[in-house]
Amino acid sequence: MSPVASLTRAAKTQITRLANGLRVGHARRPRDELPIDRGVSHFLSGLAFKSAGDISEPEMTSTISKLGGNIFCTATREAIMYQGAVLHHEVPMAMNLLAHTVLRPNITPDEVQHVRESILFELHHMAARPESYLVEMLHAVAYGGQGLGNSVLADSDSAEAMNAAKIGRFRDRLYTADKMVVAGVGLPHERLVELAEEYFGAAPPAPATPIKRDPAVYVGGSSQLVVPKPPATHLNPTPPLTHVYAAFPSHGYTHDDMFPLSTLQLLMGGGGSFSAGGPGKGMYSRLYTNVLNRYRWIESCQATHLAYLDSSLFSMAGSCVPEFNKHMLNVMLGEMLHMAQDLTPHEIQRAKNQLKSSLLMHLESQVVQLEDVGRQVLADNRRIEPSELVAKIDRVSLDDLVRVATELTSQRPTCVAIGEELSDLADAEATLAAFRAGTATTGRKKWYSWK
């Protein structure tokens, strides 16, 4: 039996909808936050598995410790996931804890204050590494600070203003059965349905007037964050760098173009300028061969694809020494504009093989399988099985790659940058206009002449 067939047979997905609308972990969408809700999802992830119902926080902590498994909560831009990995005979107890923290959290003032202090400490720590804000900046500019442009992080003002009443109102509005999925891996589907009925059957049903989510609206544009230089007496062993993100919008992850876009990302590849044995050893992606192996002043350059339900950002992240700021966007946008030029069958097949290999290796993990089932069922009421994913990747053609690359780069870009000195950083839209009009320095040798 082939690895794909074996994995598919083991991971076949069944879906059941309970009477209250809950699909058989729990998910909620931070992108649905209103301006007054800023930071609630950040707080909710920190408030997970505190006191709930008749279970005190010490009892909750003690029970989780006795289970000997791994129970945690993570928040992303489109979902909050409460997850547990425990032994088979402990599943009912884990489900009980999950149901308590999702449906019956107490959210006491002391718990809110404890989470507030943790978040403020986290923000203080991030301030020492301002480049960690780059992805949040990218989304805020790309989506105009609305919907997907909402930050998954609270800021200091929203953290200080947060209280139990605000969190409760938010939960009452969005924590309903129609927005929940109970997913499981490693136990029979019938048993999972029984446990979901027992512990989540009391989840509030959907409101009479369903809450509609506004579609993602891409805006685009540019933004820069100049960080102060450290004092002369400050000893910093690492030189300052300019960090840049450039992105173009595309379809969400339920669209068939997800597969050529993901293939294109692997084809572009990239990473850091150093690897064991020398820069780029054994790495043949476009960004290693065309960028990282050519320019000593570029510290990193990597293609990324940030995908959501109804939108995505195909982007390139790079960093360079500040003296070469004026060339950085020229290199990055030049590579993006010419992604689909001179593609060879060997290059395309290598990227497709990498994508299939990465996908199947990740799905060998039950934790990844669990998250995959929950996300797909929540978004599309079904799960695409691994064999179907592999077949869709195999069908990606040269024409598909040329088409999606052309569509991407015909749109308005988003560009954000963080660094100590950004005055000489090129304007993204002006750079693209020059390339398109043929007035930029032309010829690949001239584009890449700053070694």
Side-chain angles (χ1 to χ4, degrees):
M1 184 179 291
S2 71
V4 176
S6 175
L7 183 58
T8 301
R9 181 175 179 181
K12 193 70 177 177
T13 306
Q14 293 176 274
I15 301 167
T16 298
R17 186 183 292 270
L18 303 187
N20 63 358
L22 182 141
R23 288 158 288 176
V24 174
H26 167 74
R28 199 275 314 156
R29 296 167 173 81
R31 64 180 283 187
D32 288 336
E33 290 180 0
L34 303 174
I36 195 174
D37 298 325
R38 171 70 188 269
V40 170
S41 59
H42 198 172
F43 269 79
L44 282 169
S45 62
L47 288 165
F49 306 107
K50 304 291 187 182
S51 68
D54 58 353
I55 303 177
S56 67
E57 184 173 354
E59 289 174 325
M60 179 76 76
T61 303
S62 174
T63 304
I64 291 175
S65 177
K66 289 176 181 177
L67 286 175
N70 191 12
I71 295 182
F72 57 97
C73 175
T74 55
T76 66
R77 222 164 215 94
E78 286 194 308
I80 287 185
M81 290 164 286
Y82 300 83
Q83 304 178 55
V86 298
L87 297 174
H88 285 283
H89 67 280
E90 302 287 10
V91 171
M93 178 57 71
M95 288 284 279
N96 182 46
L97 297 181
L98 287 168
H100 268 76
T101 200
V102 171
L103 302 178
R104 295 177 288 277
N106 292 330
I107 312 181
T108 67
D110 285 346
E111 290 170 352
V112 173
Q113 180 59 26
H114 176 76
V115 174
R116 185 188 348 269
E117 292 170 359
S118 298
I119 288 175
L120 291 173
F121 177 82
E122 179 184 348
L123 295 175
H124 178 75
H125 180 72
M126 289 180 65
R129 298 180 63 254
E131 65 272 14
S132 58
Y133 286 107
L134 204 59
V135 173
E136 296 302 315
M137 284 179 60
L138 180 73
H139 284 82
V141 175
Y143 296 103
Q146 303 293 324
L148 288 173
N150 287 341
S151 176
V152 296
L153 302 173
D155 57 24
S156 57
D157 290 339
S158 62
E160 292 287 3
M162 193 61 64
N163 56 55
K166 183 180 292 186
I167 296 170
R169 287 193 297 269
F170 180 82
R171 284 177 42 82
D172 291 342
R173 182 165 61 90
L174 290 175
Y175 271 52
T176 54
D178 59 308
K179 295 181 175 65
M180 297 183 188
V181 171
V182 174
V185 173
L187 74 165
H189 179 71
E190 294 75 13
R191 178 58 174 154
L192 181 62
V193 173
E194 291 175 3
L195 292 169
E197 286 274 16
E198 179 179 355
Y199 293 106
F200 286 89
T209 304
I211 298 174
K212 293 184 178 181
R213 172 204 282 173
D214 294 330
V217 178
Y218 177 82
V219 177
S222 298
S223 181
Q224 297 181 356
L225 175 62
V226 178
V227 297
K229 295 181 180 180
T233 55
H234 179 73
L235 297 178
N236 187 353
T238 58
L241 295 174
T242 297
H243 303 274
V244 182
Y245 240 114
F248 293 93
S250 191
H251 304 288
Y253 57 70
T254 58
H255 196 280
D256 281 344
D257 278 354
M258 170 60 58
F259 300 96
L261 285 167
S262 297
T263 302
L264 197 60
Q265 179 203 347
L266 267 293
L267 190 149
M268 297 301 291
S273 63
F274 177 80
S275 66
K281 179 185 177 184
M283 300 178 186
Y284 299 100
S285 67
R286 284 282 181 98
L287 294 183
Y288 264 110
T289 56
N290 291 349
V291 177
L292 291 163
N293 286 350
R294 295 190 180 195
Y295 309 112
R296 58 176 175 76
W297 46 272
I298 294 182
E299 290 294 316
S300 66
C301 191
Q302 184 167 13
T304 62
H305 187 206
L306 306 166
Y308 305 99
L309 177 62
D310 54 349
S311 182
S312 67
L313 296 174
F314 191 95
S315 50
M316 192 176 292
S319 59
C320 69
V321 293
E323 291 80 3
F324 291 87
N325 282 356
K326 62 182 179 180
H327 302 309
M328 189 63 186
L329 274 175
N330 205 29
V331 171
M332 291 172 62
L333 293 175
E335 285 299 321
M336 295 184 84
L337 280 172
H338 298 86
M339 285 186 291
Q341 288 191 1
D342 304 320
L343 289 174
T344 66
H346 178 73
E347 189 178 22
I348 295 171
Q349 190 59 50
R350 182 171 59 223
K352 289 162 70 172
N353 289 345
Q354 285 180 290
L355 181 57
K356 289 185 289 185
S357 173
S358 174
L359 171 71
L360 296 178
M361 284 193 293
H362 277 86
L363 287 178
E364 289 182 0
S365 163
Q366 286 194 333
V367 173
V368 175
Q369 286 183 43
L370 178 70
E371 184 173 327
D372 183 55
V373 172
R375 284 181 183 277
Q376 291 200 48
V377 174
L378 182 69
D380 208 28
N381 286 316
R382 67 181 291 258
R383 184 194 182 210
I384 302 177
E385 302 295 342
S387 59
E388 185 180 351
L389 292 171
V390 169
K392 287 177 179 287
I393 295 169
D394 282 334
R395 288 197 292 269
V396 172
S397 67
L398 171 61
D399 289 342
D400 292 328
L401 297 176
V402 172
R403 175 179 55 79
V404 296
T406 303
E407 290 175 357
L408 278 173
T409 54
S410 65
Q411 301 183 74
R412 188 187 189 198
T414 295
C415 182
V416 295
I418 291 178
E420 294 181 2
E421 176 54 63
L422 301 175
S423 59
D424 57 348
L425 191 69
D427 178 78
E429 294 190 66
T431 300
L432 282 174
F435 273 120
R436 290 165 179 159
T439 57
T441 50
T442 56
R444 185 170 290 265
K445 290 182 180 179
K446 290 185 179 179
W447 292 339
Y448 302 123
S449 60
W450 319 289
K451 297 184 180 180

